[in-house]
Amino acid sequence: MPLDTHSELLKSIDINEFYKLCITSTSKRPDSRSYLDCRPLKCLPNILQNSNGSSMIRLGNTRVICSIKCQLAKPSLKSPSCGYIQPLVLLPRTQAYTSFGRRTQIINNNAVLSQTLLDIILKSNMLHLDDLCIEQGKWVWCVSCDLFCINNDGNLLDCCLLAIVHALKQTTLYTVKIDSDTGKPLVYTKEKLKLKLYDEPLCCTMFVYDNELIVDPTLNEEQVATTLIHVVLLKNDQICLLNKTGGTIFPTEKFQQCYGLAKQYIHSQRQILEKANDSKTVE
Amino acid sequence: MNEKNVMSMENGNDESPIEHYCQVSCQLSSIVKSTGSATFTLNDSMCTCILNGPSELLQRQQLESSKNQLHIDVQYQTRQGSLTFYLDKLIEQWLETIVQSTIIKQRYPRSQINLILYEEQNLAGEATLLSCICNTLCLTMLDANLPMKYAFASIPVVLHPTKGLLLLPNTKDELTSKTYFV
């Protein structure tokens, strides 16, 4: 990036100062959004032909691709009628936000995001693992969701959750019949069944800067933020997950405000998701 | 110091107060060779934490930290060993954000603090364990004499299907609840 102007120089030296200057001079963020505006969201369904389901989400500059592949597996002894679901997030090493210390940062980031997504999927009852059972004790579906982040410009949890929900909506499972003589499964790739989703959790990320609640942070804003808040809501606006990190004091009225903002933001996300679902596949 | 706390809570609906027993015990400086350490027990969960630091950064770590800040390294290990990689990482990240916002970092530039936490016993559910870890962390930092902006504590709160919101639940109640806050 060219360091010609004073503001660009300030951004690379001390991002805190740059942000403070920007907010006090114009009461808008550096990319001229107001505090409650989110970046333009675009959802593309079924972009990969060889997976059971896929989607691509573009939230401003952040891009995430999700690919879902279903494979047959043997169930565990503890739960013989439950299938498996495994979300795995891959953030490439080039997208770390500091130039040093990339490896541990990336590994930690990936692990944390993957586990958060798994927690949200299981606890919101989005999928019933019993639905993934073909024959109890013998064959179940193992749904592996791979999320690949092409460009990280902040707000990864929102994007990843959107991508995985969108992709799961498009997922189709092949019909499987068990051969009674050999006991082996016969997979018919022409007959497909859609995966049943009971709920759709979506996330809204906000951060606090100077006692103001600001929605949808970019990467630079995440570094500057004192507190990050993630709110995940279900279809009926019930809270699935509420996570606040950082050490600022937070009165209860602010929580109500958070919930109200999250509801609004997630409603608009759902509308865009519905529209994208209805559109045809992208070539 | 070993204490057995008996807390009594008043339920808004009933007339008589309900007695609620919970066992809290703590031992500071349980491990001699570290800067600070603490062992904390909450009901059926026990956790130990060791803190070493602030110490000098190694050569490669100096290159890794681009600013002259305090480097904080948190490691968490469960009882079963390395089977639960992702969940450990999530807990580690959560604790790192707590420590980052608590310690007055300006006092120790270009240094590092190492925190190692391990769970010794967990017969209760996730909520009690997470609270136990959080409290152990605070007590360890106090034992190590680190300058902190504030002290913190946490208690588990669960939403039982019939009894409503319960603070510091028993193991039995906790395992039958689906929702928890820490």
Side-chain angles (χ1 to χ4, degrees), chain A residues 115-141:
Chain A
Q115 181 65 35
T116 322
L117 288 174
L118 182 66
D119 273 342
I120 294 175
I121 291 176
L122 291 178
K123 296 201 175 158
S124 65
N125 277 331
M126 185 159 93
L127 285 180
H128 283 181
L129 292 176
D130 294 343
D131 288 344
L132 299 173
C133 177
I134 301 169
E135 187 174 324
Q136 196 180 22
K138 302 243 173 90
W139 298 106
V140 291
W141 282 116

Side-chain angles (χ1 to χ4, degrees), chain A residues 156-204:
Chain A
L156 267 184
L157 183 59
D158 269 16
C159 283
C160 288
L161 194 55
L162 251 174
I164 213 173
V165 168
H166 197 38
L168 280 172
K169 273 176 131 172
Q170 325 288 333
T171 310
T172 49
L173 295 173
Y174 304 132
T175 41
V176 178
K177 295 195 180 124
I178 308 286
D179 191 359
S180 47
D181 302 327
T182 55
K184 287 199 176 155
L186 304 166
V187 181
Y188 297 94
T189 50
K190 295 278 166 81
E191 298 153 26
K192 298 188 188 176
L193 300 163
K194 246 198 165 168
L195 190 65
K196 198 170 175 194
L197 288 184
Y198 296 89
D199 216 326
E200 285 164 29
L202 288 178
C203 178
C204 170

Side-chain angles (χ1 to χ4, degrees), chain A residues 15 19 22 54 56 71 80 89 103 132 135 148 251 262 283:
Chain A
I15 202 156
Y19 207 69
C22 202
S54 57
M56 174 157 169
Q71 289 155 326
V89 179
R103 203 164 148 265
L132 299 173
E135 187 174 324
F148 193 72
E283 282 304 316

Side-chain angles (χ1 to χ4, degrees), chain A residues 250-257:
Chain A
F250 220 63
T252 35
E253 304 87 48
K254 267 250 164 79
F255 264 122
Q256 300 287 351
Q257 200 189 355

Side-chain angles (χ1 to χ4, degrees), chain B residues 47-50 72-78 88-89 91-93 95-96 113-119 133 137:
Chain B
C47 180
T48 307
C49 177
I50 309 173
I72 296 173
D73 191 23
V74 180
Q75 276 180 9
Y76 170 71
Q77 195 170 38
T78 54
D88 294 351
K89 288 287 172 209
I91 295 180
E92 278 175 16
Q93 202 220 28
L95 294 171
E96 200 184 310
I113 289 184
N114 288 330
L115 275 158
I116 304 172
L117 284 129
Y118 47 93
E119 161 217 340
I133 294 171
L137 187 69

